[in-house]
Amino acid sequence: EDPTKYHVPWLMSEFGSTTDLANIAGDLAKADANRLGWTEWAYTGNDKTSSSANGQSLVLDPSQPPTGANVETGNLKVLAEPYPQAVAGTPTSWSFKAGVFRLSYSTARADGHGAFPAGSTTSVAVPAIQYPTGYAVTVTGGRVTSAAGASTLQVTSEAGSAIVTVMVTAAAS
């Protein structure tokens, strides 16, 4: 059914039942290009209902800590991409490719009734697994207000900005 009928956001669910990292990355790129939220299948392994109990999970044994050999690190690195958690405006695009995250958004409200005021904050998750030595940020139309290297990047819009763009890259070594 068409989710726009009920004015709810679309959600891509239960993909990624594989260790084929290119397949997972392709699904994520499509979700990003269409500004879709998503959920991945599955967090835990040892699932009797699955055709491949351990081949489709992030954590192999949920009774053990999610570290080391108990984690499908390849899948985690592909899935743990930066993403906008809350946007003070209307997202027009976001992507994550070759270690570069890009976000562009209008400060206009999605419902068409005005705009977010200057100083409104957008939050972007920045997983450490993507930037183990830190990250650098370039912003136009706003400024970074979070601490350097924060796991949640905070970008605050500037007065007079109708469009804000954010680019996150690996920190220079």
Side-chain angles (χ1 to χ4, degrees):
E1 188 159 345
D2 179 6
T4 59
K5 176 180 176 181
Y6 301 105
H7 306 290
V8 296
W10 294 45
L11 177 71
M12 183 171 76
S13 67
E14 297 187 11
F15 73 98
S17 175
T18 181
T19 54
D20 179 344
L21 303 182
N23 182 293
I24 296 170
D27 286 343
L28 290 176
K30 290 173 191 165
D32 290 350
N34 289 286
R35 299 179 311 279
L36 295 177
W38 52 265
T39 60
E40 191 267 347
W41 181 270
Y43 176 74
T44 63
N46 298 317
D47 181 354
K48 293 183 265 187
T49 64
S50 295
S51 60
S52 175
N54 285 327
Q56 56 184 316
S57 61
L58 287 174
V59 176
L60 301 176
D61 183 349
S63 70
Q64 300 298 316
T67 60
N70 194 32
V71 176
E72 289 287 348
T73 307
N75 285 28
L76 179 61
K77 186 160 185 187
V78 171
L79 289 164
E81 65 176 23
Y83 67 94
Q85 293 180 307
V87 178
T90 303
T92 54
S93 68
W94 72 77
S95 64
F96 182 63
K97 185 175 181 181
V100 178
F101 172 76
R102 296 176 193 276
L103 168 66
S104 179
Y105 63 95
S106 159
T107 56
R109 293 184 179 275
D111 66 5
H113 292 92
F116 281 82
S120 295
T121 300
T122 290
S123 300
V124 176
V126 185
I129 194 168
Q130 296 300 339
Y131 303 106
T133 60
Y135 61 87
V137 183
T138 303
V139 179
T140 58
R143 62 186 174 85
V144 174
T145 54
S146 53
S151 63
T152 302
L153 171 65
Q154 303 286 325
V155 175
T156 303
S157 61
E158 293 179 331
S161 295
I163 301 290
V164 179
T165 63
V166 180
M167 182 173 70
V168 180
T169 59
S173 13

